[in-house]
Amino acid sequence: VDGRVTTEINTVINQQTDVVGKLNQNVTGVSSGVDALTTRVSSLEAGSASLSVVQDILGCSEAQLFYSQSNNECITQPPPKSCADLKARNPSAASGTYLLTTTEGNTFEAHCDMDVDDGGWTLVAKVTDNFGWICPEQNGANCLSSSVDPSQANLFHPVHERNAVDLSFQSIALAETGVHLPLPTIRRLFTEGITHEVRIVFADDGWTPKNDGVFRFYGAPASMFKDGMHSELRKGNDYDLDVLTAANTFTGNIICWGMNFNRAYRAYDQGLHLGVATSSTSSPCHMQNSPSEVQLKSHYTSGGPDGHDSFYAGQHAFLENTGYQVGSNRIAIYVRSKPRVHSQGSPESPGLSCKALRDQGVVQSGTYWLKVNDRTFPAYCDMTTDGGGFTLVAKVTEDFGWACPDAYGQPCKAAGSGMSADRANLFEDYHTRDSLSLLIEGAEDTGIHLPVADIRALFLAGRKEVRFLFAKNPNWTSKNDVVAQFSSAPAALFAHSAQGTYARDTHYTVKVLTNTEGSTTLNLLCWGLDHTTSYRSYEGGLHFGASGGGSCHLDNNNGEVMMKSHIAGGAQGTGVDSANGWYVGDHGLLHHNRLQVESDRIAIFVR
């Protein structure tokens, strides 16, 4: 018996010895694997490997591409939407090319600068050759003899659109030397968060900045990075410029955007340009010719209503254009919109209105995403005045630029505008934008509004209040600020094909928040849009002020606070003063030939 027990014990011992030997081999293999894993993750953290390494080593799916450095694991969560989003999630993330995904689920690749100015910069466009990206068949020579469409001289033309933009510049095809991400993607990257910033890097040696500037906008411009639109934005009105690196003078007092815009706002190629504005009222976006100034300026084309009829004899390029701006070897354009710290009012969790967000505890004024009539869009919310919750729905920052842009800011009648006098109604479709901010902006964007159907929905869903902020310089300093508080829902207000006249104390009460000049009688509020008769003998829209006889003409009284204009004459669309209906008085809403208390700009809110 003892012999059999001993034999069985020895057999078990031998079996366990084999197991231990195999375990030792496995441990050695695991150790080698861990060493390899550590090496590859280190390369990723150093920016020398792509995100595909994470998929390879950890088996991450695309939906799990965000790598947790602290836990060495893939995390199931929405992939980063921008470099700023990735930076917020992983502050130690290295600069490099990343796979990103828009809110709509579209994936793209972009270089992320995670170091400069707190990082989070997404590369959206680059130029590394003077002419190759426009007319590659010319093998780098200028485009004068090229047969390509001259409109391709716009860096943001669809032919230059790519779903991946990185910093490569050596040994790349000429067609790849000037590229950009899709415009809707850039617009999202620029507007989705709580900041709206553009960074331009001018480099000579590799991508080491020679001149590097950050344009920090006060809000999201209504038209920038959008097709069919034009913007003129000014330093001090719309943005601050922080120069991070400057080998040369970097004034940067104007930024211009134009895309398929059927008017020669600069008489040359469209796209994104910045620099020193000219003194011309008609073409400040031409930019000054200054060899000592840092500018993003080009003159590849000229002619026609959009500046794209033919190639320009001068062929002044973005890079080696030293007679007209400081030269550089390559240019990178980044955007950044830092993500908000709470979910309410984000694209993923939009609010029903600014008032609804305020009721949920959001207390900081700024840009938030709303969902109205099944449309999700960014809107400016005033969360502090009179308890907050006001949604910006319209603004006017210039007397005539929005009504008759062909007059370049001059009075419509006096300048002989050839545009339709229907444009004198601030709430006509010409002036509709899908988002709004308190930027001063320029040109067509000096008088704009949200879609009228959205305004009415926001108005009816809340307290049924309309607020008129009459502001003075600087920016939006309150001069007079009043709220019309309706007791019930007006049938016509903010409705299409309708007109309505509403009386103080009968339909609404007035709450005066600020009154530094003038009387606040405000006994009549009038609305007219797409109406068939002339209810005030001038342009329709929204008017508010003093009326001794109950007429929507309103009184002529520069001692009264009013929203009143006489830019067009006659019933809507007919005109009685001239063939195009502009009124000889040219009475603007703000300054020109005013018939009410003067102001520098007007903002209209609902709550």
Side-chain angles (χ1 to χ4, degrees), residues 42-192:
S42 296
S43 71
L44 174 65
E45 292 173 347
S48 58
S50 69
L51 280 181
S52 62
V53 170
V54 175
Q55 286 183 285
D56 181 36
I57 14 186
L58 297 179
C60 297
S61 67
E62 282 196 7
Q64 297 174 309
L65 258 182
F66 181 68
Y67 169 67
S68 170
Q69 179 181 335
S70 58
N71 298 320
N72 283 347
E73 63 180 359
C74 298
I75 300 173
T76 302
Q77 62 173 314
K81 297 180 295 183
S82 67
C83 299
D85 185 19
L86 179 59
K87 182 73 172 180
R89 299 185 193 191
N90 183 6
S92 62
S95 295
T97 300
Y98 289 85
L99 183 67
L100 306 172
T101 305
T102 66
T103 301
E104 294 81 10
N106 301 318
T107 59
F108 63 98
E109 288 186 11
H111 175 80
C112 295
D113 184 335
M114 297 302 201
D115 301 310
V116 175
D117 190 45
D118 298 327
W121 294 102
T122 306
L123 180 69
V124 298
K126 69 177 180 182
V127 177
T128 62
D129 188 83
N130 279 312
F131 305 104
W133 53 281
I134 306 171
C135 50
E137 83 286 356
Q138 298 298 107
N139 296 315
N142 71 49
C143 301
L144 270 178
S145 60
S146 173
S147 61
V148 302
D149 183 349
S151 66
Q152 292 181 197
N154 179 346
L155 175 61
F156 292 86
H157 187 283
V159 76
H160 309 307
E161 180 181 304
R162 302 291 185 271
N163 210 41
V165 177
D166 60 23
L167 288 177
S168 58
F169 64 91
Q170 293 177 325
S171 301
I172 61 174
L174 284 172
E176 305 303 311
T177 59
V179 295
H180 66 87
L181 290 177
L183 280 183
T185 298
I186 299 176
R187 178 74 183 173
R188 279 285 195 176
L189 291 167
F190 180 53
T191 61
E192 276 198 337

Side-chain angles (χ1 to χ4, degrees), residues 127 129-135 142-144 150 152-155 266 268-270 273 297-302 307-308 310-321:
V127 177
D129 188 83
N130 279 312
F131 305 104
W133 53 281
I134 306 171
C135 50
N142 71 49
C143 301
L144 270 178
Q152 292 181 197
N154 179 346
L155 175 61
R266 63 185 300 267
Y268 294 92
D269 20 286
Q270 298 189 7
H273 297 85
K297 172 179 178 174
S298 64
H299 288 178
Y300 292 107
T301 64
S302 62
H308 286 157
S310 60
F311 283 110
Y312 178 60
Q315 288 289 279
H316 303 302
F318 272 129
L319 303 177
E320 297 172 9
N321 185 5

Side-chain angles (χ1 to χ4, degrees), residues 444-601:
E444 281 77 2
D445 289 340
T446 57
I448 54 179
H449 63 86
L450 291 179
V452 171
D454 292 352
I455 298 176
R456 182 162 175 82
L458 288 164
F459 172 66
L460 295 179
R463 295 184 182 179
K464 302 175 184 62
E465 296 177 329
V466 186
R467 175 183 164 209
F468 298 81
L469 170 60
F470 301 88
K472 58 185 178 181
N473 289 323
N475 294 319
W476 289 95
T477 304
S478 177
K479 182 176 185 179
N480 292 294
D481 194 352
V482 295
V483 181
Q485 302 171 313
F486 283 80
S487 54
S488 60
L493 188 55
F494 300 124
H496 278 284
S497 302
Q499 68 178 68
T501 302
Y502 305 99
R504 183 172 181 170
D505 298 330
T506 301
H507 301 101
Y508 63 86
T509 57
V510 173
K511 184 174 185 178
V512 179
L513 305 179
T514 305
N515 181 212
T516 65
E517 180 185 344
S519 300
T520 55
T521 303
L522 299 167
N523 65 339
L524 206 66
L525 187 149
C526 301
W527 169 262
L529 183 61
D530 303 326
H531 54 286
T532 57
T533 60
S534 174
Y535 75 101
R536 62 184 298 267
S537 298
Y538 294 92
E539 62 269 12
L542 182 64
H543 296 86
F544 185 37
S547 176
S551 166
C552 288
H553 176 283
L554 302 182
D555 295 344
N556 294 338
N557 189 335
N558 59 18
E560 284 281 352
V561 175
M562 291 191 282
M563 182 163 178
K564 173 179 179 173
S565 63
H566 290 177
I567 302 174
Q572 179 127 345
T574 62
V576 296
D577 182 67
S578 66
N580 60 25
W582 297 114
Y583 179 60
V584 69
D586 279 322
H587 300 297
L589 282 165
L590 306 176
H591 297 288
H592 192 81
N593 290 350
R594 60 188 175 86
L595 301 172
Q596 70 278 349
V597 171
E598 186 176 38
S599 58
D600 293 320
R601 51 196 63 95

